[in-house]
Amino acid sequence: MDYVNIPNHIGIIMDGNGRWAKKRGLSRSLGHKAGAENLKRLLKHIYRREIKIVSIYAFSVENFKRDEKEVNYLMDLFVKMFTKDSDIFVNEKIKVVFSGSRKNLREDVVSAMDSLEEKTKLYERGILNICFNYSGRREITDAVLSIARLVKEDKLDLNDITEELLDLYMYQKLPPLDFVIRTSGEIRISNFMLWESSYAEYYFPSVFFPDFDEKEFDLALNEYQKRKRRFGGV
Ligand code: FPP
């Protein structure tokens, strides 16, 4: 199939690792490991489809409520992906950026994030925005706080506060999301990129993230072809 409408920016909420593992009698951690393996294969495929920007929901602020053992396992997995396994970004020429707060993160995690951003900063084939220790409401609040500070210091006039200005104060200056996919059959957005997704198309396949493979992604892209985007017009 030829894809006429390729979304410029897609978001993926990688849900269902735990249930994927449970179904197989495995630990939740092994579900996350399978999710990470899937992500590596999937990203290669997505950029081959000429999609330029991918935002993934790797870890929300709220995910810290999970069991300490699971959080630590996930952090180890992230460090591995951002260091030893980072060849994938170099080989594919993908610039990696992070959205979220670095506060409360382990030192080795922050330094793995810094080094991956530094290592990939000149690549232009595509962008991977990793939402990490991320909250969509917090992102908007942080933008408002930065702007309010400028007004208080008389560096900005109230009349200059526009939607375009707020765009510039989000964690990364990325264009709006065109298409958001959440795996595992859950139909909610869970605080993911609220500002950037105002006119995104949504897709909720029932498969768990470790099974959301290249074929499943193409089904999602087929579905996107059928959507008529009107942005509030007719
Ligand atoms: C949600 O599934 C998944 C997460 C909170 C973690 C996502 C992380 C990965 C896919 C690992 C790879 C990512 C990177 C960036 C290396 P869940 O555990 O909530 O699943 P459940 O709803 O079935 O319990």
Side-chain angles (χ1 to χ4, degrees):
M1 159 152 195
D2 284 337
Y3 299 102
V4 185
N5 299 312
I6 290 290
N8 179 46
H9 184 184
I10 64 166
I12 307 180
I13 304 177
M14 308 180 288
D15 197 11
N17 293 343
R19 278 164 287 161
W20 180 91
K22 192 169 176 209
K23 218 172 89 184
R24 288 166 176 73
L26 304 171
S27 66
R28 293 181 56 79
S29 295
L30 286 179
H32 294 312
K33 186 167 178 242
E37 290 307 318
N38 184 50
L39 179 65
K40 280 186 254 173
R41 282 189 305 267
L42 190 61
L43 286 174
K44 276 194 203 167
H45 179 72
I46 293 176
Y47 293 111
R48 227 170 274 137
R49 287 272 179 255
E50 312 238 319
I51 288 159
K52 290 288 173 225
I53 310 168
V54 182
S55 288
I56 55 171
Y57 209 177
F59 198 84
S60 69
V61 166
E62 294 81 13
N63 286 152
F64 271 114
K65 290 183 202 152
R66 293 181 179 208
D67 189 84
E68 200 185 323
K69 226 173 99 194
E70 182 178 346
V71 171
N72 271 326
Y73 183 90
L74 271 169
M75 292 301 152
D76 291 344
L77 197 62
F78 295 136
V79 170
K80 182 166 174 280
M81 180 83 147
F82 305 157
T83 55
K84 276 200 216 89
D85 294 353
S86 64
D87 281 2
I88 165 181
F89 308 113
V90 175
N91 295 341
E92 301 287 317
K93 305 269 178 287
I94 302 302
K95 175 176 169 176
V96 180
V97 295
F98 290 92
S99 288
S101 165
R102 297 191 183 203
K103 275 185 219 140
N104 307 321
L105 290 178
R106 278 175 12 195
E107 222 172 90
D108 61 331
V109 176
V110 175
S111 102
M113 292 163 79
D114 287 342
S115 74
L116 186 57
E117 274 188 335
E118 180 60 30
K119 197 166 158 181
T120 61
K121 69 179 181 195
L122 296 177
Y123 294 145
E124 290 184 342
R125 180 165 163 246
I127 297 175
L128 177 67
N129 172 41
I130 304 182
C131 294
F132 196 96
N133 197 14
Y134 176 85
S135 146
R137 287 170 66 105
R138 169 68 22 204
E139 179 174 27
I140 297 169
T141 309
D142 283 347
V144 170
L145 276 170
S146 303
I147 292 172
R149 239 173 255 126
L150 293 179
V151 173
K152 191 172 169 218
E153 292 163 8
D154 280 331
K155 289 181 182 148
L156 184 75
D157 193 275
L158 272 185
N159 295 320
D160 293 330
I161 301 178
T162 59
E163 291 185 16
E164 291 70 26
L165 184 80
L166 259 93
D167 273 340
L168 301 177
Y169 282 86
M170 294 300 139
Y171 293 135
Q172 298 294 339
K173 289 162 199 56
L174 296 174
L177 279 160
D178 299 298
F179 193 35
V180 175
I181 301 166
R182 181 183 188 138
T183 57
S184 92
E186 303 288 356
I187 304 180
R188 55 174 174 267
I189 48 173
S190 303
N191 217 356
F192 177 68
M193 299 189 81
L194 303 177
W195 178 266
E196 297 83 350
S197 63
S198 56
Y199 268 102
E201 297 291 327
Y202 282 91
Y203 180 68
F204 299 99
S206 56
V207 294
F208 297 136
F209 184 69
D211 291 332
F212 187 73
D213 57 11
E214 293 94 326
K215 213 170 114 227
E216 286 289 338
F217 183 81
D218 285 347
L219 289 177
L221 215 46
N222 288 348
E223 173 63 30
Y224 184 80
Q225 306 304 298
K226 296 182 207 150
R227 305 283 177 96
K228 298 256 174 306
R229 304 188 70 197
R230 291 194 297 272
F231 300 96
V234 281

